[in-house]
Amino acid sequence: MKTDRTPLRRLLPAALLALPALVFAQNNALTVASDLRAEAAQAARYGGPLIIMYSRADCRFCEAIRRDYLKPLTDDPRHKARLLVRQINQDSDAPLTGFRGEATTHARLAASEKIKLVPVVAFYGPNGQRLAEPIIGTRLPDFYQGYLDDAIEQSHQALKKP
């Protein structure tokens, strides 16, 4: 019996073309938040903020912020020991422990933080208090790094206050 392999032959080139994009996206992945109370405490031990990126799976702007700003930040030795970056997926029902130790999900926490549009990059202290104004959207790409640097510095200053 002869099998028709034509559909497979058409799909294989498309799959091979998609593979580099998938690998590239995985290389730009941020650690997904699981226990905000513990992660905020860890960031406080570093002396810096817990930076949360609120994202969605279908958000191409989120991917750009991850790739161009947040992933390089997590790989930069100057910042690696001073802050912690995590991702919360607005469209996910993955379990999450909140800042007060309560059981919730990514979607419920995003809703409680009034996250409507993504990407949002927010800066938190050890008890879940916001340390700086969140960066909503992509803003002007030429200035985004400056917005991020300013919010990180403002967060560090807020953590130093008694």
Side-chain angles (χ1 to χ4, degrees):
M1 177 176 177
K2 187 174 180 183
T3 306
D4 183 15
R5 295 181 189 254
T6 305
L8 181 60
R9 286 188 180 145
R10 283 190 219 143
L11 290 176
L12 188 58
L16 291 174
L17 287 173
L19 189 59
L22 179 62
V23 170
F24 185 71
Q26 287 179 337
N27 289 340
N28 290 316
L30 297 173
T31 302
V32 175
S34 61
D35 184 339
L36 294 178
R37 182 167 55 180
E39 291 160 335
Q42 181 181 354
R45 284 192 299 276
Y46 291 166
L50 172 61
I51 300 174
I52 301 278
M53 178 187 184
Y54 293 92
S55 183
R56 292 182 62 86
D58 61 352
C59 175
R60 64 187 171 106
F61 299 110
C62 299
E63 177 56 32
I65 297 301
R66 261 191 307 276
R67 178 191 65 233
D68 297 340
Y69 304 101
L70 295 179
K71 188 62 177 162
L73 188 70
T74 64
D75 294 337
D76 184 340
R78 292 177 306 145
H79 293 294
K80 208 173 207 171
R82 293 183 65 208
L83 49 86
L84 195 64
V85 180
R86 294 291 184 262
Q87 180 171 309
I88 290 181
N89 299 309
Q90 181 191 37
D91 55 350
S92 171
D93 285 327
L96 179 67
T97 301
F99 286 108
R100 288 173 290 291
E102 74 283 7
T104 187
T105 67
H106 281 233
R108 282 195 308 241
L109 185 87
S112 74
E113 289 290 308
K114 298 180 179 28
I115 304 298
K116 293 183 180 17
L117 301 173
V118 290
V120 172
V121 177
F123 307 84
Y124 295 97
N127 298 316
Q129 76 275 25
R130 288 218 177 155
L131 301 173
E133 284 297 312
I135 303 171
I136 301 169
T138 56
R139 298 196 183 177
L140 295 172
D142 290 344
F143 298 107
Y144 196 92
Q145 187 65 53
Y147 299 138
L148 186 59
D149 292 340
D150 289 348
I152 291 170
E153 182 57 33
Q154 185 180 355
S155 296
H156 281 292
Q157 293 305 317
L159 286 167
K160 289 179 183 176
K161 291 181 182 173

